[in-house]
Amino acid sequence: MPTPHLPPTVAAHVPTGLLIGGSWQRASTGRTFAVEDPATTEVLFDVEDAGPADGLAALTAAADVADEWAAVAPRARAELLRSVFDALTARSEDVAALVTAEGGKPLAEARAEVAYAAEYLRWYSEQAVRLPGLARTAPAGTHHQLVLSRPVGPALLITPWNFPIAMITRKVAPALAAGCPVVIKPAQLTPLTTAYFAEIVRAELEAHGLPTGVINVVPTSSSSTLTAPVIADPRLRKLSFTGSTEVGRVLLRSSAENILRTSMELGGNAPFLVFEDADIPAAVEGALAAKMRNAGQTCVAANRFLVHESVADEFGNALAARFRGLVVGHGADAGTTVGPLIEAAAVDNVERVVADAVDRGARVLVGGERPQRAGHFFAPTVLADVAPDALAIREETFGPVAPLTTFGDEREALELANASEFGLVAYAYTRDVGRVMRLAEQVETGMLGINRGLVSDASAPFGGVKWSGLGREGGEAGIEEYLEQRYIAL
Ligand code: NAD
């Protein structure tokens, strides 16, 4: 379907079917669902709407090649991933256009996402030949112990809409490197990029003479109906989920029946701490990066700005000035720095959060309303004097709203930072090395950015504590999520 914001050369190569056992197919339901451009609400494509039978067919395809894939030499798996890295990188402009079209983020951010996504392929191509193992003599001297890494088996990957390529490669790359075939259930709102990427992988598998059934994709408009029988099937051995804590909890419950290995990358409520000794202009730039990527719709988005009372006005005014200069628009238009929110309900939610903060005494320094235009937009907003019990502080807002609140000393800052059920990431701006070490030990999050608004890196362990999840993606740890240890006594 032609759209002015998606180049025809890209549109012509987007698969809209299900990828099962190496071929693109129609859904057994006979239905399709529409994928929209959130900046215009126009329909981009109608996609085949997979049902439970398709989910199980995809699992069968994965299970059928599991032994063969596990037996492929690590070096061959590494070379496959490296080829996929090269192919994705060569087509990064097309993939970025697709990410912007269905997800809304500005093109510059979409390009950065593709580059970041590709790094997982390169990193795990390098890790595939370094799977952990051990050989030693038992302490009693009676025998030897051998510990091998074995792939856990077929994996179901369920991903969110906000990073339609990076959330896929962050799972697919370590899974394939470890020797696990996969079934991907992409987000209903953004299945196009996944399909485009899966075709790249399928073509590379074919070119390398490897089994194409190791990657299967089942887009659907009824997620739980499709995933329930797959999760209950004993052939499935792993569930890797990225999304909200609410859905993660539901999936953990259903995984218990089948004793599945699970990885859960869930919601966040990141504190952004600005201490009295911070480099304020640097903190403002870091705040912009941590808050405004994808219009605030990231799990690592700074959700609460905790600022020392002596620098609160200076920081708040400088941040508001930067927000005033942001350009809201279609992500594909030159000059746009903030795209739309993903859907109408997201705009409603942001409006509710802002109204609640204002009701509790917050001052709007900039923004605070929907711009007058079509699409799901909300103006970049800075709120000062936000009450600690406001929704903007307590909930993950997932929008372009920066609520500021103050603290008097380091102890209070830490208490406020840790006063959340979530624990994905925290950010802090300070020049005091002793304080940095105290924060490193006492902040209750899986990740901490010091004088940086960005922490993600394919080579580092990404993940949270408390309600933000279980397990890690990226780094050495990421591949272990797809491996089990086999111990041999001899
Ligand atoms: P979501 O939980 O609504 O959906 C995530 C995925 O689960 C989608 O594919 C969806 O279709 C599917 N899903 C929904 N209900 C399901 C069910 N009952 N059974 C099976 N599948 C189901 O989340 P979202 O709105 O797509 O993404 C936003 C959330 O994801 C935020 O909370 C954000 O913090 C989180 N997130 C976390 C990370 C991380 O790495 N920790 C990264 C990105 C996003």
Side-chain angles (χ1 to χ4, degrees):
M1 231 169 278
T3 143
H5 292 112
L6 188 61
T9 46
V10 181
H13 293 101
V14 178
T16 56
L18 322 179
L19 180 60
I20 298 180
S23 68
W24 289 95
Q25 305 178 9
R26 309 293 293 266
S28 67
T29 59
R31 291 193 306 265
T32 60
F33 66 93
V35 179
E36 288 181 3
D37 177 338
T40 63
T41 69
E42 71 186 328
V43 174
L44 295 167
F45 282 97
D46 288 313
V47 171
E48 292 289 318
D49 193 357
D54 303 310
L56 287 172
L59 177 59
T60 299
D64 283 352
V65 295
D67 288 346
E68 185 184 351
W69 185 241
V72 166
R75 176 69 71 202
R77 297 203 294 260
E79 284 172 356
L80 179 266
L81 287 172
R82 180 63 199 216
S83 296
V84 176
F85 167 82
D86 290 337
L88 177 61
T89 303
R91 279 186 251 168
S92 56
E93 274 302 297
D94 289 1
V95 180
L98 209 45
V99 168
T100 292
E102 65 176 346
K105 66 183 59 164
L107 209 42
E109 282 187 34
R111 290 186 179 119
E113 183 189 340
V114 178
Y116 168 61
E119 282 307 325
Y120 284 95
L121 296 156
R122 179 153 63 178
W123 172 259
Y124 285 110
S125 78
E126 291 157 351
Q127 293 301 102
V129 290
R130 291 178 177 77
L131 301 185
L134 176 75
R136 70 176 170 207
T137 304
T142 49
H143 62 286
H144 299 294
Q145 300 175 334
L146 193 61
V147 181
L148 301 179
S149 288
R150 298 293 306 158
V152 293
L156 174 62
L157 315 180
I158 304 180
T159 53
W161 61 267
N162 62 347
F163 288 90
I165 182 77
M167 295 303 97
I168 297 287
T169 58
R170 206 162 81 170
K171 297 183 190 304
V172 169
L176 296 190
C180 299
V182 300
V183 174
I184 305 170
K185 205 299 290 168
Q188 178 187 345
L189 296 164
T190 58
L192 305 176
T193 312
T194 309
Y196 191 99
F197 170 70
E199 172 53 24
I200 292 178
V201 181
R202 191 207 61 76
E204 292 300 328
L205 283 161
E206 192 172 79
H208 285 243
L210 294 168
T212 49
V214 301
I215 184 164
N216 302 277
V217 185
V218 280
T220 180
S221 68
S222 38
S223 301
S224 54
T225 315
L226 180 141
T227 58
V230 177
I231 290 172
D233 192 305
R235 293 173 299 170
L236 188 74
R237 294 318 315 141
K238 167 83 194 177
L239 170 63
S240 178
F241 171 75
T242 299
S244 61
T245 297
E246 195 185 351
V247 174
R249 199 174 269 126
V250 170
L251 292 171
L252 272 173
R253 268 193 213 109
S254 43
S255 300
E257 284 301 316
N258 197 6
I259 317 289
L260 284 182
R261 281 277 296 272
T262 56
S263 303
M264 294 278 148
E265 294 286 349
L266 308 177
N269 181 358
F272 189 105
L273 301 154
V274 183
F275 287 92
E276 63 274 25
D277 62 343
D279 175 339
I280 298 296
V284 169
E285 291 314 305
L288 211 69
K291 175 75 252 181
M292 290 306 291
R293 266 194 322 147
N294 207 14
Q297 304 166 103
T298 77
C299 54
V300 288
N303 200 58
R304 310 173 272 151
F305 290 82
L306 313 178
V307 189
H308 189 269
E309 55 202 14
S310 67
V311 292
D313 285 343
E314 182 188 357
F315 176 80
N317 292 333
L319 188 64
R322 281 295 268 122
F323 270 43
R324 220 167 273 123
L326 296 172
V327 181
V328 174
H330 194 292
D333 290 343
T336 294
T337 49
V338 181
L341 301 193
I342 191 66
E343 56 186 346
V347 182
D348 293 345
N349 181 51
V350 170
E351 210 163 45
R352 180 183 69 102
V353 165
V354 171
D356 170 80
V358 171
D359 281 352
R360 294 170 199 262
R363 285 182 295 130
V364 179
L365 298 188
V366 63
E369 64 206 355
R370 306 169 184 237
Q372 295 301 318
R373 56 176 300 155
H376 310 307
F377 289 94
F378 199 88
T381 298
V382 179
L383 304 171
D385 305 330
V386 179
D389 60 347
L391 295 178
I393 302 288
R394 292 195 338 251
E395 292 185 358
E396 183 184 36
T397 301
F398 239 56
V401 180
L404 272 52
T405 185
T406 57
F407 63 83
D409 59 22
E410 185 182 308
R411 188 191 49 77
E412 191 189 355
L414 260 165
E415 271 173 24
L416 289 170
N418 290 339
S420 169
E421 294 95 352
F422 296 96
L424 189 58
V425 63
Y427 304 92
Y429 274 72
T430 177
R431 289 187 256 217
D432 180 336
V433 178
R435 172 179 287 149
V436 168
M437 291 317 296
R438 289 191 292 279
L439 292 173
E441 284 174 11
Q442 293 173 46
V443 168
E444 296 169 0
T445 57
M447 300 176 285
L448 174 61
I450 297 293
N451 299 326
R452 289 186 61 83
L454 279 178
V455 298
S456 306
D457 191 308
S459 62
F462 186 105
V465 300
K466 303 202 276 188
W467 285 10
S468 290
L470 301 168
R472 294 293 181 269
E473 291 191 315
E476 284 79 1
I479 199 166
E480 286 169 15
E481 304 277 322
Y482 297 91
L483 293 171
E484 59 195 3
Q485 295 190 342
R486 183 170 298 161
Y487 158 54
I488 297 117
L490 72 161

